[in-house]
């Protein structure tokens, strides 16, 4: 029987209560609990979330043991009336036991193939622990690094977001979602959560439909196109409409415009929060609003299981609405193969390759922001290692690390020692004993400062009002600089930190991020030249907090103050220059790349030819003129000069990362067709307009390497 027939056959045998049970997700117990077993028997639990708190990203949360997972599954399969298996979900965000960089960092790798490979590894490890479904990838576009959750997403650009969305979904779900080592993915948080006002978590958002379609939705569209099984609705409201009860978002756009066919799960307790949000009086109202909006599964607050039956009796919710939601849930369970293979046989996982991949992606994610010739360091030089992150382990894993282990994570001092042995002079990390540290540093040829932020100031409910480096770290920089030594700053951070008053005092800056299990080894490989840095920023680094929001794909001001691009920044603020400290797409290498002029095969195409599949073709040659083999990410941006609505000054439309050996020249080719030259109107219709387009191909969004083409 095909899946559709199996769904209908099952549905025809289900009571209303059993149907509602499928829409109920509850917290998984950590030990045997007869009351929970009984609910499973009665068909009242469709899914377990293996988490103990709402924002487990920064809380330790144990995983339900395999024996118990299988025991409860057995009750569902053998002792419930219809034998429908449970789907087990967990926040497996950027790693399981092996941890990869926080997603904002892995986006900086500009290497979707490697991201996909790593997310495949994650799926292998998590499924071996009984997880069927992950609440990842997080795809919230964000322009506000104060927001703690910016680290969980792909940054400020819709194209990078879409590329990473596809890579993560393919990695998690694999070629065949029914394989035992495939995880059902969940694109979240749909939609607009990244626009939380002031970067304050859980706050309201204000997003026009035009911005929604062009900036916030593309990553979700890409996830849907890649076959993502589920979507999580977001906590926020958009202009007063909570997404949890927003039919416009959950049904009209998600299903109507994006064509999503899986099921939607709420965020944690989000359905009953409709009361606090002021659109529902009681739990029954909450359930009615959410299910009628198109929200299929209710996470943790039990509002569906407690109210839907009565709502159907009262005629406020139709049984057909319930059936639709149940069909979607059953479909994913069937596609996942849970009916045939409900149990986890806990295979032993050899993590050797996973750790290698974790190191590779950490290396590719790290961004060399500054280098006044001091890097790479010689392994023979004496290096004073100083700073609060020299011995730190947990922070390197980043927020939303539930199963990675700090004690298995090498710290920076250990990693450096392994490379240069006694040439490393490890200083005390406490500013109070700075005298001792300075004494050591005097003997050193170079000082490496291990700086950064704790994972506890990133992630859910951990936003900050100031993205500056803590004062004691700034003081550390100043005092070491005063020694007259070369000072290198290695930043272990989740978000971009403000660099004003910091960058000027450092001779080199390696932005190492919270890059997972292999952070420290990867950073050392780059510092000592075993690896040539190749990361590029997927988010703008503002100079100071007051410059937020600052993002590259901004529209033009009518008054000659496009400060991002250096146009009269003095007229934007009287007290500072709001140019980026480091722009989007920026990252240095140890080698040099020289870009040739853009060659365009054709300069004009008619709109109808474009619609029929013709495309513009551009090539550019890039020569490695430096002393190292190195990878370069060549980026293509467009500007639609005159359109019916203002279009951004630059929009990334393509990139390619490739190794170029020293002395070699490589040719990069890009095609721009109908799908890349248009935009969405506020109705969500895609349109391409005639006129001139500027095409930029270069090393970051500020490149001036330009040509012009026209759609006639
Ligand atoms: C709340 C978070 O917003 C969401 O990202 C997460 O998946 C759920 N909690 C479950 O832990």
């Amino acid at each position: 029987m095909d899946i559709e027939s199996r769904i209908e056959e099952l549905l025809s045998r289900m009571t209303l209560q059993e149907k509602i049970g499928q829409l109920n997700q509850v917290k998984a117990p950590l030990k045997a609990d007869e009351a929970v077993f009984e609910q499973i028997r009665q068909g009242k639990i469709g899914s377990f979330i293996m988490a103990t708190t709402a924002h487990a990203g920064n809380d330790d949360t144990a995983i339900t043991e395999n024996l118990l997972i299988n025991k409860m599954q057995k009750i569902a399969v053998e002792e419930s009336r219809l034998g429908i298996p449970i789907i087990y979900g967990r926040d497996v965000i950027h790693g399981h036991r092996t941890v990869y960089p926080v997603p904002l960092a892995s986006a900086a790798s500009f290497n979707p193939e490697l991201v996909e490979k790593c997310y495949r590894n994650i799926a292998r490890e998590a499924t071996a622990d009984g997880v069927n479904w992950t609440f990842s990838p997080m795809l919230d576009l964000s322009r506000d690094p104060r927001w703690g959750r910016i680290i969980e997403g792909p940054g400020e650009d819709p194209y990078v977001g879409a590329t990473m969305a596809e890579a993560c979904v393919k990695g998690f779900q694999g070629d065949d979602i029914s394989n035992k080592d495939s995880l059902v993915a969940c694109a979240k948080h749909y939609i607009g959560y990244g626009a939380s006002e002031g970067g304050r978590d859980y706050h309201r958002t204000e997003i026009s439909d035009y911005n929604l379609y062009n900036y916030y939705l593309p990553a979700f569209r890409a996830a849907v196109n890649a076959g993502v099984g589920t979507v999580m609705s977001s906590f926020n409201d958009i202009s007063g409409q909570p997404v949890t009860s927003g039919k416009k978002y959950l049904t009209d756009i998600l299903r109507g415009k994006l064509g999503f066919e899986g099921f939607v799960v709420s965020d944690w307790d989000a359905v009953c929060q409709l009361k606090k949000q002021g659109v529902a009086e009681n739990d029954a109202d909450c359930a009615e609003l959410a299910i009628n909006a198109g929200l299929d599964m209710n996470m943790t607050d039990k509002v569906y299981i407690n109210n839907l039956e009565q709502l159907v009796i009262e005629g406020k919710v139709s049984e057909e609405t319930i059936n639709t939601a149940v069909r979607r849930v059953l479909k994913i369970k069937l596609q996942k193969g849970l009916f045939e293979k409900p149990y986890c046989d806990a295979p032993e996982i050899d993590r050797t390759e996973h750790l290698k991949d974790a190191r590779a992606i950490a290396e590719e994610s790290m961004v060399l922001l500054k280098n006044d010739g001091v890097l790479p360091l010689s392994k023979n030089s004496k290096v004073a290692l100083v700073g609060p992150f020299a011995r730190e382990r947990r922070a390197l894993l980043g927020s939303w690390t539930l199963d990675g282990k700090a004690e298995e994570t090498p710290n920076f001092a250990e990693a450096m020692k392994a490379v240069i042995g006694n040439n490393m002079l490890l200083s005390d990390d406490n500013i109070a004993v700075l005298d001792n540290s300075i004494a050591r540093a005097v003997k050193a040829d170079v000082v490496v400062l291990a700086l950064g932020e704790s994972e506890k100031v990133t992630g859910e409910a951990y936003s900050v009002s100031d993205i500056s480096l803590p004062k004691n770290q700034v003081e550390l920089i100043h005092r070491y600089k005063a020694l007259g030594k070369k000072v290198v700053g290695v930043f272990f951070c989740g978000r971009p930190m403000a660099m004003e008053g910091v960058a000027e005092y450092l001779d080199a800056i390696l932005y190492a991020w919270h890059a997972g299990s292999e952070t420290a080894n990867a950073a050392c490989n780059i510092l000592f030249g075993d690896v040539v840095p190749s990361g590029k920023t997927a988010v703008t680094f503002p100079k100071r907090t007051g410059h937020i929001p600052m993002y590259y794909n901004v529209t033009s001001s009518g008054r000659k103050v496009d400060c991002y691009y250096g146009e009269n920044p003095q007229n934007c603020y009287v007290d500072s220059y709001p140019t980026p400290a480091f722009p989007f797409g920026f990252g240095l290498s140890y080698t040099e790349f020289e870009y040739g002029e853009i060659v365009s095969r054709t300069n004009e195409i008619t709109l109808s030819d474009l619609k029929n599949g013709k495309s513009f073709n551009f090539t550019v040659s890039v020569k490695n003129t430096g002393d190292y083999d190195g990878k370069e990410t060549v980026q293509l941006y467009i500007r639609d000069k005159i359109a019916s609505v203002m279009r951004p000054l630059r929009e990334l439309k393509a990139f390619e990362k490739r190794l170029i050996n020293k002395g070699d020249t490589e040719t990069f080719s890009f095609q721009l067709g109908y799908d890349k030259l248009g935009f969405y109107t506020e109705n969500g219709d895609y349109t391409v307009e005639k006129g001139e387009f500027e095409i930029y191909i270069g090393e970051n969004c500020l490149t001036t390497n330009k040509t012009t083409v026209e759609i006639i």
Side-chain angles (χ1 to χ4, degrees):
M1 226 191 309
D2 65 10
I3 284 186
E4 302 305 327
S5 319
R6 287 176 74 183
I7 293 172
E8 293 313 317
E9 194 276 328
L10 263 174
L11 203 61
S12 68
R13 291 192 288 132
M14 291 170 88
T15 64
L16 179 58
Q17 251 208 358
E18 284 165 336
K19 290 176 187 172
I20 295 166
Q22 285 305 306
L23 311 182
N24 185 30
Q25 182 182 60
V26 303
K27 278 183 267 178
L30 291 174
K31 44 185 199 306
D33 182 334
E34 196 38 59
V36 176
F37 295 167
E38 189 48 33
Q39 284 176 38
I40 302 174
R41 245 173 238 123
Q42 290 176 19
K44 289 189 172 164
I45 295 176
S47 172
F48 278 119
I49 174 168
M50 295 197 273
T52 42
T53 68
H55 35 86
N58 278 324
D59 299 331
D60 291 332
T61 186
I63 190 162
T64 307
E65 286 199 348
N66 224 283
L67 275 178
L68 183 54
I69 290 178
N70 280 339
K71 183 179 170 71
M72 295 193 289
Q73 190 68 296
K74 197 158 192 277
I75 296 174
V77 170
E78 293 182 7
E79 298 176 36
S80 77
R81 202 175 69 84
L82 297 166
I84 301 175
I86 288 164
I87 184 164
Y88 286 87
R90 183 164 175 82
D91 288 294
V92 181
I93 306 297
H94 54 98
H96 192 62
R97 179 80 168 263
T98 310
V99 183
Y100 301 85
V102 294
L104 185 61
S106 56
S109 75
F110 279 84
N111 189 339
E113 292 80 21
L114 187 54
V115 169
E116 182 178 336
K117 190 167 182 224
C118 294
Y119 278 63
R120 193 84 284 284
N121 298 343
I122 299 175
R124 230 170 267 133
E125 288 184 18
T127 50
D129 272 349
V131 186
N132 312 126
W133 174 25
T134 173
F135 305 115
S136 178
M138 191 275 215
L139 302 175
D140 293 310
L141 180 138
S142 181
R143 298 161 172 170
D144 197 332
R146 289 171 298 185
W147 192 46
R149 305 200 79 170
I150 194 171
I151 68 129
E152 295 176 45
E156 74 192 35
D157 181 62
Y159 182 73
V160 170
T163 311
M164 292 302 157
E166 185 185 346
C168 295
V169 171
K170 283 188 178 166
F172 279 140
Q173 297 194 164
D175 295 336
D176 181 350
I177 201 172
S178 75
N179 286 344
K180 277 213 147 184
D181 67 0
S182 289
L183 266 183
V184 179
C186 181
K188 73 182 188 187
H189 307 83
Y190 178 87
I191 183 76
Y193 184 24
S196 282
E197 236 171 37
R200 293 188 282 276
D201 206 7
Y202 310 131
H203 275 62
R204 67 186 304 273
T205 72
E206 199 60 68
I207 307 171
S208 69
D209 285 348
Y210 169 78
N211 278 329
L212 192 80
Y213 280 108
N214 289 291
Y215 290 97
Y216 293 91
L217 279 172
F220 288 90
R221 194 184 289 275
V224 170
N225 291 343
V228 72
T230 69
V231 164
M232 184 187 292
S233 56
S234 55
F235 285 129
N236 58 293
D237 69 272
I238 301 180
S239 312
Q241 169 61 66
V243 176
T244 309
S245 60
K247 180 173 170 295
K248 166 177 167 183
Y249 301 108
L250 299 182
T251 298
D252 303 348
I253 296 179
L254 182 61
R255 300 199 182 268
K257 298 279 188 191
L258 269 53
F260 176 62
E261 289 182 349
F263 72 82
V264 177
V265 63
S266 75
D267 205 338
W268 185 286
D269 285 356
V271 180
C272 81
Q273 284 167 20
L274 291 170
K275 290 180 293 187
K276 183 93 180 347
Q277 286 177 302
V279 295
E281 251 177 51
N282 50 42
D283 284 355
D285 288 352
C286 295
E288 179 186 341
L289 286 171
I291 191 95
N292 284 335
L295 197 153
D296 305 307
M297 186 181 278
N298 177 201
M299 184 187 283
T300 58
D301 59 33
K302 302 204 171 93
V303 167
Y304 277 12
I305 194 88
N306 292 336
N307 296 281
L308 281 181
E309 195 175 357
Q310 184 60 27
L311 287 166
V312 172
I313 293 167
E314 289 170 15
K316 291 183 173 161
V317 173
S318 75
E319 187 155 357
E320 200 36 43
T321 300
I322 309 268
N323 288 347
T324 303
V326 175
R327 279 191 187 99
R328 293 171 181 155
V329 172
L330 291 178
K331 185 168 175 184
I332 294 297
K333 289 187 173 182
L334 282 159
Q335 286 176 341
K336 177 71 199 97
L338 287 175
F339 285 78
E340 290 74 26
K341 296 171 277 189
Y343 304 112
C344 169
D345 36 25
E348 273 293 317
I349 301 286
D350 177 358
R351 295 195 305 121
T352 319
E353 288 303 313
H354 298 186
L355 283 164
K356 277 192 198 156
D357 292 337
R359 190 177 303 185
I361 195 161
E363 288 164 352
E364 293 218 8
S365 300
M366 293 183 183
V367 186
L368 183 64
L369 291 176
K370 181 176 177 184
N371 188 14
D372 286 348
V374 57
L375 295 181
L377 300 174
S378 154
K379 290 180 188 167
N380 297 320
S381 54
K382 293 230 174 299
V383 179
L385 175 59
V386 192
F389 287 80
R391 295 177 178 84
E392 174 59 28
R393 299 177 197 281
R394 175 62 188 84
L396 310 190
L397 297 175
S399 182
W400 284 110
T401 296
L402 271 52
D403 300 281
K405 297 191 187 319
E407 64 274 20
E408 290 177 356
T409 309
N411 67 29
F412 197 34
E414 287 163 350
M416 193 178 288
K417 179 115 190 161
V419 180
I420 60 167
N422 290 337
N423 279 340
M424 180 187 77
L425 311 170
L426 181 59
S427 277
D428 297 292
D429 56 5
N430 186 338
I431 192 103
V433 286
L434 202 59
D435 292 347
N436 178 23
S437 307
I438 286 178
R440 284 169 193 263
V442 168
K443 289 193 217 126
D445 302 312
V446 61
V447 179
V448 172
L449 295 180
L451 308 167
E453 59 180 347
S454 154
E455 83 287 359
K456 294 269 189 204
V457 293
T458 73
E460 185 176 357
Y462 290 91
S463 295
V464 294
S465 62
D466 185 354
I467 60 164
S468 308
L469 202 62
K471 285 201 175 56
N472 57 351
Q473 295 191 39
V474 177
E475 191 185 335
L476 209 56
I477 295 173
H478 290 175
R479 295 191 54 177
Y480 277 91
K481 187 63 192 166
L483 289 176
K485 303 270 175 194
K486 292 283 183 198
V487 183
V488 177
V490 180
F491 287 73
F492 299 99
C493 299
R495 58 163 65 78
M497 307 285 280
M499 286 291 174
E500 200 172 50
V502 170
E504 307 87 287
Y505 295 90
L506 293 167
D507 298 287
I509 301 174
L510 177 65
Y511 218 77
W513 306 103
H514 294 157
S517 305
E518 287 292 314
T519 306
N521 289 326
C524 284
N525 283 349
I526 293 177
L527 281 185
F528 295 98
D530 290 324
V531 167
V532 174
S534 66
K536 302 256 190 177
T537 56
V539 66
T540 299
F541 280 58
K543 286 181 185 153
R544 54 167 79 172
T545 304
H547 293 173
I548 296 169
M550 176 167 282
Y551 51 97
Y552 88 95
N553 41 11
V554 64
T555 49
S556 181
S557 158
R559 299 292 296 174
K560 295 204 173 97
V561 286
D562 289 330
C563 55
Y564 196 105
Y565 294 90
E567 188 184 54
N568 296 320
Q570 74 281 2
N571 291 348
C572 293
Y573 296 117
V574 291
D575 61 348
S576 65
Y577 265 41
T579 49
F582 301 103
F584 176 85
F586 178 85
L588 301 171
S589 172
Y590 291 155
T591 193
E592 303 280 329
F593 299 107
E594 196 179 280
Y595 279 71
E597 280 186 10
I598 305 170
V599 179
S600 167
R601 201 188 295 159
T602 160
N603 290 327
E604 287 183 355
I605 297 185
T606 65
L607 185 54
S608 64
D609 280 353
L610 204 64
K611 254 190 192 158
N612 292 329
K614 226 175 160 188
S615 57
F616 291 102
N617 282 270
F618 306 98
T619 53
V620 76
S621 62
V622 183
K623 181 165 188 195
N624 182 341
T625 56
D627 298 328
Y628 297 82
D629 299 342
K631 289 184 179 173
E632 172 66 336
T633 299
V634 177
Q635 302 158 42
L636 183 150
Y637 298 85
I638 68 165
R639 179 181 178 194
D640 182 351
K641 281 185 73 182
I642 308 286
S644 53
V645 282
M646 291 167 65
R647 303 293 301 133
L649 285 161
R650 302 265 198 288
E651 285 179 278
L652 184 70
K653 288 294 168 185
F655 63 80
E656 188 187 341
K657 186 173 193 175
R658 209 189 287 170
L659 176 72
I660 310 179
N661 290 327
K662 63 180 172 195
D664 283 2
T665 300
E666 294 266 336
T667 302
F668 290 76
S669 302
F670 298 100
Q671 292 196 344
L672 287 185
Y674 189 79
D675 61 326
K676 296 234 165 141
L677 290 162
F679 60 92
Y680 289 91
T681 67
E682 60 183 12
N683 302 322
D685 300 327
Y686 185 74
T687 178
V688 178
E689 294 182 349
K690 291 181 180 173
E692 254 183 25
F693 286 74
E694 290 175 347
I695 310 296
Y696 295 84
I697 304 183
E699 64 289 356
N700 63 57
C701 72
L702 299 186
T703 181
T704 51
N705 195 24
K706 178 178 113 177
T707 190
T708 306
V709 295
E710 190 170 356
I711 302 176
I712 52 174

